Each structure stands twice: as structure tokens, then as C-alpha cells.
Amino acid sequence: MRNMNGLVMALLAVTMTAVAQQPASAPQNPQPVSATQPGQAQPSQPQTNLAPPTTMNQVVDRVILREKDLVKFLSLRTPIVETYLQNLTQDPQLGPIPQDDHYFLGRMDLSDSIDRSDYLQDKGKDEGMEKRLLGGLTKKFKFQYQPLGFSWMIFADRNDFDRQHYDFHYARREFLGDVRCLVFDLTPKKDAGRGRFLGRIWVEDQDFSIVRLNGTYAHPSRNSYYFHMDSWRLNLVPGYWVPSYIYSEEGDFTAGAKNKIAFKAQTRMWGYNLKAATANDELTNIRVDSVKDDTPSAQDATPLAAEREWQQQAEDNVIERLERSGLVAPEGDVDKILQTVVNNLEITNNIELPRPVRTRVLTTSPLETFSVGNTIVLSRGLIDVLPDEGSLAMVLSHELAHIVLGHNLGSQYAFNDRMLFSDESTYQNLGFKHIPEEEAAADKKAIELLKASPYAQKLESAGLFIKALQARAPSLSALLQAHLGNNIAENGTVTRMAQLANSAPALDWNKLDQIAALPLGGRVKLNPWDDKVEIVKAQPVAITSARDKMPFEVTPFFPRLSRYSTANAPAATTAAAPTTTTTATTANATPTN
Ligand SMILES: [Zn+2]
């Protein structure tokens, strides 16, 4: 019971009166996100030379032991935690669709309890919502979300996961992906107190680590309410299954249901190895490669060369800083795909720049792009929802246009003192927003670039994407709130590249082969340990109704679990994706002049 009341009020879920809800309805579509990429700096493996358990009771003892190991292992980590939530409303044709949305981004501190600090302190309505949580309710928002509530289920019970507080009932064996699991139902003991886990756990059958938790928390106090959660862990480091994804869903849309709350939310955790990576860098980067400066020219820089050098320095500073705070993924294969599209645009437009254009991936969900110097940055969420290569080219062409037009931003970041800030204050310290005139000029130039490129024939889909975005924009203000770059939409109206919508066919949700935008999370896979991103390789699933399209929507997670192995290539196997046959893979696209 220690502290449990306090925790419940402070940390969990929704404050406000709420009627007990039915358990979340069945997941609509499996969501592809998968595991297993070797991390770089590996923690030492726990001692697991215990004799294999022979009874279920011994298994439960091992599960409890392993969970305590994990709590200890993670106590030094401060992963990034992101929650994106869509409140739902019932559409007669499309089923539950987003009505409005909320976004939370923070760092978790797992040392003593579970705590978090947020990145979005001075921005937007979500901050206001958080503040009001302490002061009770407002009339406008009947329910108020406490961001930490969504990440609560990284553990079943951080402090009291034991036989004194829980009954364990063995249910069955079951495979989750490649991993054979023992399934247990957990119920809190009668006097275990408020806020105890109630639900099911999946335990892998070698080391007996929990790999999945599904359920809720029992006995909420007055004015609080517990979400239902489905929490997944991935075996990203030897011996440990790391909490990675949590899906929450509430809402009963059956006839006559008096739902007071209906939402879907995805919580992702990453950046577990951020601190360790910094420490390692300090050692490995001390190296003396050559004593002589081997740059080809022995001359001094001309003023223009000095200016370019300066911009390069600013660009490198910013990207390095963002990578260090876990907001930009390390360079990888996704960048190569983006770069191919940029190259296609450059070659066909005879663009020759003094420095090459590079691309990187922002690890967050809100749809945004920006460029700093010659580096174009696209968010993971944006790449997720783009239906095809034509729409990807559209997004990249706008940023390329800024670079071609010399709309350089951020040269002030060549001063290194400007990189000295806490990760949480990144959004207050960095910004790459253009003035409206430069935005308009970039759109105009981008259309020119596209029309002269191999993507000239593919602009219909790009226009359709804009139309779909326009249709949903009024409900998705959090998803469309850029944190570093310019907004794609302002006040519910798409502004970026909006003229492409004019030449696109009519948007028709009922036309099953018209895929204007994809759900979130279907394309880019982020490794929670080392932040590397890769493109999801999933078998397309046939869309059988308009409700399957789920543009810009949140869906459940269904990672295909597999065990950590250094021999394994990054796992390619994922669950079925709610996507169509189009992919953004462009490695073979041959530009024609
Ligand atoms: Zn722009």
C-alpha cells in the first residue's frame, strides 16, 4: 500500500469521474513493429545459471526474480517516452475516427519510481492540460490525460511484484512471433491495495522474462480511472526484454453504449542507450589518425568558402546534438532511400550544390520536416503516413527547394555554446522555421523541381495525400504541430504544397484501391535501444472495407517477437501491415533526363 494512493493520483491515467468501462475491444489490425537489432554497447548479461524450474511455482519465482532484475537494470536509464493519443468519434461510414488528439514527449526516470519530465513545457494546449491536471477539471475537457499514465505499464508493479500481492494462475503456452511463452493471469490479492495490476502476462520460456503485459489496474480511487494497456517488450540486449511499446484503447461503440471516453493511444519508448553512447564516444573518439591536415588545398578560405564552412559547422552541430538527445536517428538505410529520391530530383533538375544534400530521420511522430544547412530532416511519423514515392518526393522537394534557394537557417548554431542545453529543452533552444515568404517561394520552386523530375507522373497521389490530410487536419492539431520546423497545416488548413491538391482526383474513402494516406507506425521501425531506424518489411494486407484504411490513425502494436542474437540480421519479419502494395523503396529508381 505504501505510496500507492499517491501514485495513483499523481501518475495514472485520467482524473475525473469515470464509469467503469468494458475492456478494450479487439484490435482491428495488427501493427507491424519488430524487434531485434543488435545494440552497440551491451550490458553484462545477468547470471542465469540457475537450474531450470521444474514446477509452475518455481517458474513464478523466476519470473518475479527476472522482473526485479529488469527494474534494477533500467534504474540507470532515462529513455524517451512518446505518447500520441486520438480521441475518437463514431463516423457512420468509417467507424471510430479521430476527433481530436494529444501529444506528449518526455524523458522517463526509472531510478526510484517511474517519473518523467516533458519536452513540451511551453507549447500548446497539452501543457495547459497537464497543468490543469493538478488543479482538477475543466468543462471543456471532460477527461484529462496524465501522460505518465500511458507509460505506467512498462512494469506490472514496480515495487510489489510478488506472491504477497498477487495470485498467479497459469493459463497456457503460446507463441508470440518466434518466442514460445508461458501465459499467466495475474490477480491482486484481496488486501493488496489500490492500483494493482490485473491482467495477463506472457513469459518467455528460457529465462522467464516477461515479454508482454495486457490488462489494467484494479481498484481505482475516486476521480481516477485506469486505462487498459497492452505493453510489449523487445529482446534488444542480451538477457533483458526492454519495454518498447504500449497500446491503450478505450471506448465502447456498440449500440446503446454510453461511452464517456473513447480513445486510442500509442506510447513508444526509445533512447535507452543514450547515456551509455555518450560515455563510449568519449573513449573511442580520442584517436590520432593523421598528424598533418590532409585537405587538398593549402590556401586560405575565400569569404564565400568561409561562409560555407561556417554553415557546415552549424549543420553538423545541430544534427549531432539532436542525435545525442535521441531526436534524430543515427545514419542508416532509411536515409539512403530518402537520399535516392533527393538525388533523382537533383539530377533531373541539373542541381549542383557545393555541398551534398543529406537526409536524416527525426524519431518522433508529429508530421514535420525541416532543413538545417544541407541536411533535410523528416519525422518518422511523416514517413509512416506517406502512401508512395511520389508523395515522399513532394515532401523532400519542398526542403530541397529551400536549400536550392539559399534559405539557410541556423548558422547561429555554429557557436558551440548554443549546443549546451538539456535534452528536455531542445525545442526551446533549436528552431528552423522559415518566414511565410520563404515558405511560399519553396512551394513554388518545389513544384518546378517535381515537374521536371521522374515524379511528374506521380503527383496525383501526392495531391491525394494533401486532400486526405486536409480532410483530417481539423482533428489532428497535435499530430500537425511541428516542434522544430514549419507547420504543414495552420489552424486546420493544409498550407504546405496545397496547390497539388487541385490536380488530384476526388478523395473517396469508399474506393478501396485509393490509398491517400497510411496509418501511423506502418513504415518506419525504431529500435528502442540504439534509436536506429529501418523500413518495415511487411506483407501487404488486402483492404476489404473503407474502415481498413485508417489514414493518420493509431493502431495496436503487434511486434513479431524474437530472441536477441548477434548472428541475426536485423529482423525483417513483422506482423501484417495495414498498408497497400506501394512502398517508398526507391533504390532502383532511374532518373531520366
Ligand atoms: Zn518550408
Side-chain angles (χ1 to χ4, degrees):
M1 272 299 289
R2 173 175 54 101
N3 267 342
M4 220 46 209
N5 272 330
L7 284 176
V8 168
M9 289 311 296
L11 306 177
L12 271 172
V14 178
T15 33
M16 220 345 253
T17 51
V19 179
Q21 294 288 310
Q22 296 301 311
S25 60
Q28 298 159 316
N29 254 330
Q31 180 71 2
V33 214
S34 165
T36 50
Q37 243 190 341
Q40 295 162 322
Q42 302 305 346
S44 58
Q45 201 155 356
Q47 288 296 332
T48 48
N49 47 3
L50 302 166
T54 51
T55 65
M56 265 320 155
N57 265 339
Q58 288 173 357
V59 168
V60 168
D61 289 340
R62 290 286 290 275
V63 173
I64 291 169
L65 210 62
R66 291 298 295 132
E67 193 68 357
K68 289 197 190 314
D69 278 348
L70 182 73
V71 168
K72 199 172 150 211
F73 172 60
L74 293 181
S75 64
L76 298 174
R77 307 277 159 179
T78 55
I80 293 174
V81 55
E82 177 195 65
T83 296
Y84 176 60
L85 175 147
Q86 294 178 333
N87 280 316
L88 305 175
T89 183
Q90 179 77 359
D91 178 274
Q93 180 195 3
L94 299 172
I97 60 165
Q99 183 175 41
D100 59 62
D101 62 348
H102 300 288
Y103 182 69
F104 308 102
L105 183 71
R107 288 295 278 271
M108 285 184 106
D109 181 349
L110 300 171
S111 51
D112 297 318
S113 59
I114 303 172
D115 201 358
R116 61 180 276 171
S117 54
D118 280 79
Y119 282 71
L120 312 174
Q121 279 153 355
D122 295 307
K123 290 206 172 181
K125 63 180 179 182
D126 290 331
E127 182 254 348
M129 284 189 68
E130 258 190 275
K131 273 203 178 137
R132 283 198 298 274
L133 269 169
L134 304 170
L137 52 118
T138 62
K139 280 181 184 139
K140 192 173 172 202
F141 298 103
K142 212 158 187 187
F143 296 92
Q144 290 159 342
Y145 298 107
Q146 178 83 335
L148 190 54
F150 295 97
S151 35
W152 191 237
M153 206 180 274
I154 64 171
F155 303 118
D157 188 326
R158 191 187 188 280
N159 298 322
D160 299 313
F161 185 69
D162 52 37
R163 289 180 187 279
Q164 287 75 56
H165 293 84
Y166 291 98
D167 288 319
F168 293 74
H169 307 277
Y170 172 71
R172 61 164 187 265
R173 280 175 201 275
E174 188 181 309
F175 271 95
L176 290 180
D178 303 333
V179 179
R180 194 169 62 175
C181 296
L182 304 170
V183 183
F184 292 89
D185 287 326
L186 253 71
T187 46
K189 296 235 193 239
K190 212 171 163 214
D191 300 319
R194 291 183 193 280
R196 296 301 182 191
F197 178 78
L198 174 68
R200 176 164 280 199
I201 58 170
W202 284 254
V203 175
E204 47 86 18
D205 71 350
Q206 283 180 15
D207 295 330
F208 306 98
S209 293
I210 298 174
V211 302
R212 181 185 181 192
L213 306 123
N214 178 301
T216 186
Y217 290 86
H219 310 307
S221 55
R222 253 159 47 98
N223 297 338
S224 74
Y225 173 73
Y226 298 125
F227 304 143
H228 289 90
M229 285 181 253
D230 189 28
S231 174
W232 293 80
R233 297 175 179 176
L234 301 179
N235 195 190
L236 300 172
V237 288
Y240 292 101
W241 288 75
V242 183
S244 302
Y245 311 112
I246 299 173
Y247 176 70
S248 321
E249 179 183 302
E250 299 293 340
D252 181 359
F253 286 100
T254 53
K258 288 187 205 144
N259 60 293
K260 295 216 169 197
I261 178 169
F263 72 84
K264 296 190 284 187
Q266 284 183 341
T267 296
R268 295 156 195 273
M269 280 144 285
W270 72 87
Y272 278 101
N273 206 29
L274 283 174
K275 270 187 181 167
T278 314
N280 286 343
D281 282 352
E282 280 164 15
L283 294 174
T284 52
N285 279 356
I286 302 171
R287 48 166 201 227
V288 186
D289 285 335
S290 66
V291 268
K292 247 173 63 184
D293 183 357
D294 51 7
T295 44
S297 143
Q299 293 155 10
D300 290 331
T302 65
L304 180 57
E307 175 66 22
R308 282 176 184 158
E309 192 76 19
W310 185 251
Q311 283 163 3
Q312 180 74 51
Q313 200 176 315
E315 179 181 338
D316 291 346
N317 277 352
V318 166
I319 297 300
E320 191 200 297
R321 184 66 189 86
L322 286 171
E323 191 176 325
R324 195 145 45 86
S325 61
L327 292 174
V328 157
E331 221 168 338
D333 289 347
V334 179
D335 299 320
K336 286 182 194 145
I337 291 169
L338 304 181
Q339 214 121 26
T340 306
V341 177
V342 171
N343 287 347
N344 290 347
L345 290 164
E346 285 186 290
I347 291 167
T348 47
N349 282 282
N350 298 314
I351 295 170
E352 281 186 37
L353 295 163
R355 294 186 294 124
V357 175
R358 301 179 295 180
T359 57
R360 296 298 287 272
V361 179
L362 201 65
T363 48
T364 47
S365 289
L367 314 186
E368 71 172 303
T369 72
F370 64 91
S371 41
V372 49
N374 277 24
T375 298
I376 297 174
V377 183
L378 260 59
S379 69
R380 170 177 54 76
L382 181 58
I383 302 171
D384 270 345
V385 298
L386 293 171
D388 59 9
E389 193 178 328
S391 52
L392 179 61
M394 167 189 68
V395 167
L396 288 166
S397 68
H398 175 91
E399 294 301 334
L400 181 62
H402 279 307
I403 293 171
V404 170
L405 294 170
H407 297 168
N408 278 311
L409 283 183
S411 65
Q412 72 268 31
Y413 302 121
F415 291 108
N416 289 285
D417 59 288
R418 294 213 160 97
M419 298 297 113
L420 302 177
F421 50 79
S422 70
D423 290 350
E424 288 85 346
S425 63
T426 300
Y427 293 156
Q428 282 86 58
N429 284 281
L430 296 180
F432 309 95
K433 284 182 170 47
H434 291 278
I435 54 172
E437 290 78 9
E438 287 186 352
E439 281 300 287
D443 268 0
K444 189 163 170 271
K445 182 73 183 169
I447 304 272
E448 279 174 42
L449 298 179
L450 287 168
K451 289 203 165 144
S453 80
Y455 305 109
Q457 321 309 324
K458 299 176 184 166
L459 294 184
E460 279 197 355
S461 65
L464 262 176
F465 174 79
I466 299 283
K467 278 190 174 172
L469 189 61
Q470 182 53 64
R472 288 291 171 88
S475 318
L476 301 177
S477 56
L479 190 65
L480 292 169
Q481 175 66 55
H483 297 283
L484 291 167
N486 284 87
N487 284 338
I488 292 177
E490 299 282 355
N491 304 319
T493 304
V494 178
T495 46
R496 178 88 56 92
M497 303 294 278
Q499 65 245 59
L500 280 181
N502 299 336
S503 49
L507 187 66
D508 183 355
W509 299 121
N510 277 326
K511 222 170 151 226
L512 295 188
D513 61 349
Q514 186 191 78
I515 304 298
L518 303 181
L520 285 163
R523 209 188 269 299
V524 181
K525 194 165 66 178
L526 171 64
N527 182 308
W529 190 258
D530 60 19
D531 302 347
K532 287 184 182 157
V533 288
E534 59 180 309
I535 292 287
V536 166
K537 300 171 194 83
Q539 287 297 316
V541 173
I543 281 175
T544 57
S545 84
R547 294 187 182 200
D548 286 347
K549 291 186 178 179
M550 302 187 288
F552 311 108
E553 287 178 30
V554 159
T555 64
F557 293 111
F558 242 88
R560 182 170 175 88
L561 300 188
S562 53
R563 291 183 185 280
Y564 178 84
S565 154
T566 41
N568 272 0
T573 39
T574 53
T579 63
T580 51
T581 48
T582 47
T583 55
T585 314
T586 59
N588 294 322
T590 347
T592 46
N593 262 314

